[in-house]
Amino acid sequence: MTEEKLDEKILAIFKDLHQHPELSAQEFATTKKIRHWLSERSITLRETDLPTGVFAEIAGDPNGPVVGLRADIDALPIKEQTEVPYKSQNDGVMHACGHDFHTSALLWAAYWLKEKQAELSGTVRLIFQPAEEAEHGGLQVVRDGQLKGLDAVIGIHNKPDLPVGTIGIKAGPLMAACDKYRITFHGIGGHAAIPERTKDSIVAASSFIQTVQTIVSRNISPKHEAVVSVTSIHGGDVWNVLPGEVELLGTVRTFYDEDRDLIINRFEDIAKGLERAYGVQVRVEWGQGTPSVLNDEKLTRIVQTANQTEVKVVTPELSVAGDDFSCFQREVPGVFVFVGSDGPQDWHHPSFQVDPAGIRVAAGFYYRSAIAVLKDLNKE
Ligand code: NI
């Protein structure tokens, strides 16, 4: 197939994916299509117990290292509000995070790598991950054994505020760990005019809200970024009764595992202190989300060197959003980059769009990075 024809084919694949988005863990048609597009090129599929997601391998030097290339494949429960001719046909579901862009780019890279199979200094494993947005797809892929034997893993995310042709590469943290919490204050309610007979959960909760503000300013290093937000307060219904219970909800964003642990510990300590100070009981519940995207120094250097003559490499800003590629990085060294997609809106917006021209850049990144990482690790 000529380069031009391949270009057209990948564009058609992108439009097909965009028109038929599927929610997390329900990517059945998408899975079937990806399997077909890989099999067409005689790319070997790997067995899996997962109902959705596709895993495949292009084996070069059998004694060489194994590098994973990851794209996520799921869409979001958002009603598309763009006017693109290939708009979603699945009402209320939309590729509003550009995972169709990632999937098309990885397929394209797979086609190129397949042509170079005999020259590869190792094996490339293709990971088309399901359920990134919900349902813990990253963890499911780890538990399914798809990372076994991997020496490195590489992933991308489109970035609407970077122009096409630009790639954001950065060692260390790139995207945040996103955790949520619920704090419940159990006091003793009573008449608002007889506070001495109550244990006031409203006063305890307000003290908690104030005190947790000091975690970022007093406990986290000024060189690290972190966010502690209280987003909901519920307690009491009327003006003359002190409620027996108050509930707070909120979120915490961190970039380093030690900061994440520190905040969790500080919440517990502050809760214990307030129990003693106000005579209430405080229950802290954490909804642990994905850890932060933390890029391996050495891999970052390799992919930067491999790509900087072909594309414009910039240092991206930290993103307070998360990506569960981070689960892979807790298993094997990994690097995750932002590929410019020049869109009018940020991720998860109903008018989100990517410039499909960026898919070629992303595919080139996967291709060059896989070859360079295999070569480098093969020397060891
Ligand atoms: Ni995404």
Side-chain angles (χ1 to χ4, degrees), residues 36-59:
H36 168 73
W37 289 322
L38 290 169
S39 300
E40 268 186 337
R41 294 297 181 102
S42 312
I43 294 172
T44 314
L45 299 175
R46 276 171 61 86
E47 286 196 5
T48 174
D49 287 332
L50 298 181
T52 58
V54 182
F55 310 95
E57 236 169 41
I58 302 169

Side-chain angles (χ1 to χ4, degrees), residues 170-183:
K170 179 185 172 301
L174 180 70
M175 298 179 83
C178 307
D179 299 318
K180 56 185 178 181
Y181 61 81
R182 178 205 308 269
I183 317 284

Side-chain angles (χ1 to χ4, degrees), residues 26 39 52 150 221 225 256 364:
Q26 295 172 34
S39 300
T52 58
L150 278 194
S221 159
E225 270 123 337
Y256 295 90

Side-chain angles (χ1 to χ4, degrees), residues 72-74 95 97-103 132-133 157-158:
D72 40 14
I73 65 171
D74 55 333
H95 267 297
C97 202
H99 296 182
D100 46 355
F101 177 105
H102 309 160
T103 303
E132 193 284 321
E133 302 288 0
H157 208 290
N158 69 85

Side-chain angles (χ1 to χ4, degrees), residues 18 21-23 75-82 87-98 133 346-352:
H18 193 87
E22 293 175 293
L23 292 175
L76 287 155
I78 291 175
K79 191 173 168 54
E80 181 160 356
Q81 282 173 21
T82 74
K87 196 170 168 170
S88 169
Q89 291 177 5
N90 187 357
D91 195 33
V93 183
M94 176 191 178
H95 267 297
C97 202
E133 302 288 0
D346 212 340
W347 305 320
H348 297 208
H349 191 282
S351 301
F352 173 88

Side-chain angles (χ1 to χ4, degrees), residues 14-29:
F14 166 70
K15 289 179 180 170
D16 182 340
L17 290 168
H18 193 87
Q19 268 177 325
H20 305 102
E22 293 175 293
L23 292 175
S24 307
Q26 295 172 34
E27 311 93 336
F28 295 103

